[in-house]
Amino acid sequence: MASIAAEALAARIKAAHHIVVLTGAGVSAESGVPTFRDRQTGLWAKYRPEDLATPEAFRRDPETVWRWYEWRRSILEEIKPNPGHFAIAELEALPREFALITQNVDGLHAVAGSRNIIELHGNIGRTICSVERCVVSSWTLAGSAPPKCPNCGAHLRPDVVWFGESLPERPFIEAQDHADRCDLFLSVGTSTVVQPAASLPFMAKRSGAFVVEINVDLTPLSHVADLVVREKSGFFLPSVLELLK
Ligand code: OAD
């Protein structure tokens, strides 16, 4: 039987004209991708972001940073989207204006069938030149990692946003525009602490949207959201989609 929260959200979705979904690492947790801030299993419980996810760390020790991302990419090779990703892809198919904004770099939304994805923190599957920023799809590794750009010889790096770097400009402007105009905003599986992505649900709320948080834990958004659902997204979202059929 559907929960009261699932029924409430299904009713909101039916009435909405413009739906925005913001996702974070929690939406991929049920696929087996480690989150960042979970106390036991989160990546930042085991590694220091300043050693692995900053431009300074890459300048200091490019090999360690490259190898860490290689390890994270290797985890993803085995991993598949979960029912939460598929439910979000189904939402996009409804006849309404829709935007999916993600902080995730794992590419699982696309595998699940989502089409228009605003990737705020890049994509771990893409590699760019650390100087020219062009996307490089093949290279040969001669000597130590990271490999070198075939055009200019600079180190290659993952196309992700590191701490201290700006978000890609156009995607963030697009995300802000959707947050400002939508009437229903779902924040799914994000700790809502990393700026500027964390500002989006608050912006939507200020602009009059109904804001829903789906998260197993408390976040800074919890006391502001209109509906808070303390369930796993891979369990809760499919139950909502069932009610829309
Ligand atoms: P976090 O690890 O900070 O937060 C994940 C959130 O998902 C937490 O609030 C968990 O309680 C929640 N969660 C875990 N499992 C869940 C499930 N099955 N269903 C629903 N919620 C669940 O990850 P993000 O918020 O994505 O940035 O982190 C934001 C950014 O910080 C990342 O993009 C990354 C990181 O440092 C960069 O690397 C730039």
Side-chain angles (χ1 to χ4, degrees):
M1 212 178 70
S3 65
I4 292 171
E7 280 175 4
L9 181 52
R12 286 282 166 182
I13 290 171
K14 282 181 192 155
H17 298 288
H18 182 173
I19 302 171
V20 172
V21 178
L22 170 70
T23 62
V27 84
S28 294
E30 288 155 86
S31 292
V33 183
T35 62
F36 293 94
R37 294 180 180 76
D38 279 287
R39 267 186 292 274
Q40 307 294 328
T41 55
L43 289 173
W44 300 151
K46 296 182 189 144
Y47 305 96
R48 284 161 27 104
E50 52 273 42
D51 292 342
L52 297 162
T54 66
E56 294 74 30
F58 189 66
R59 270 195 295 275
R60 225 173 23 240
D61 189 351
E63 179 162 12
T64 299
V65 173
W66 176 266
R67 297 260 182 241
W68 191 65
Y69 280 91
E70 237 176 12
W71 166 71
R72 285 182 57 197
R73 268 197 296 264
S74 74
I75 300 179
L76 291 174
E77 278 165 21
E78 324 268 299
I79 272 170
K80 294 185 173 51
N82 67 60
H85 294 108
F86 289 112
I88 292 168
E90 281 184 57
L91 274 182
E92 185 174 359
L94 297 175
R96 289 173 186 51
E97 188 169 0
F98 180 85
L100 169 59
I101 306 167
T102 189
Q103 299 162 85
N104 297 347
V105 298
D106 57 30
L108 288 175
H109 284 302
V111 181
S114 287
R115 287 288 155 258
N116 297 311
I117 309 166
I118 303 174
E119 290 182 322
L120 293 182
H121 291 169
N123 190 307
I124 203 172
R126 267 192 320 264
T127 297
I128 54 171
C129 170
S130 58
V131 171
E132 299 167 323
R133 316 290 294 194
C134 54
V135 175
V136 176
S137 46
S138 69
W139 59 83
T140 42
L141 182 57
S144 63
K148 306 275 182 358
C149 172
N151 300 325
C152 74
H155 282 138
L156 297 182
R157 57 166 280 182
D159 187 11
V160 297
V161 176
W162 283 328
F163 288 101
E165 293 184 320
S166 304
L167 263 53
E169 196 176 344
R170 243 200 351 223
F172 190 58
I173 290 173
E174 216 185 317
Q176 283 178 303
D177 174 55
H178 279 289
D180 192 35
R181 289 188 300 108
C182 70
D183 53 358
L184 179 61
F185 189 106
L186 314 188
S187 177
V188 186
T190 174
S191 55
T192 329
V193 293
V194 174
Q195 295 295 352
S199 66
L200 295 168
F202 294 92
M203 178 184 286
K205 176 76 185 164
R206 278 196 305 276
S207 301
F210 188 85
V211 174
V212 182
E213 177 175 72
I214 300 155
N215 195 308
V216 293
D217 238 324
L218 186 79
T219 79
L221 182 64
S222 303
H223 64 282
V224 171
D226 299 290
L227 174 65
V228 175
V229 182
R230 288 271 169 265
E231 301 217 45
K232 292 186 174 180
S233 49
F235 169 78
F236 178 72
L237 287 173
S239 75
V240 175
L241 266 292
E242 268 308 302
L243 295 170
L244 298 174
K245 287 179 181 157

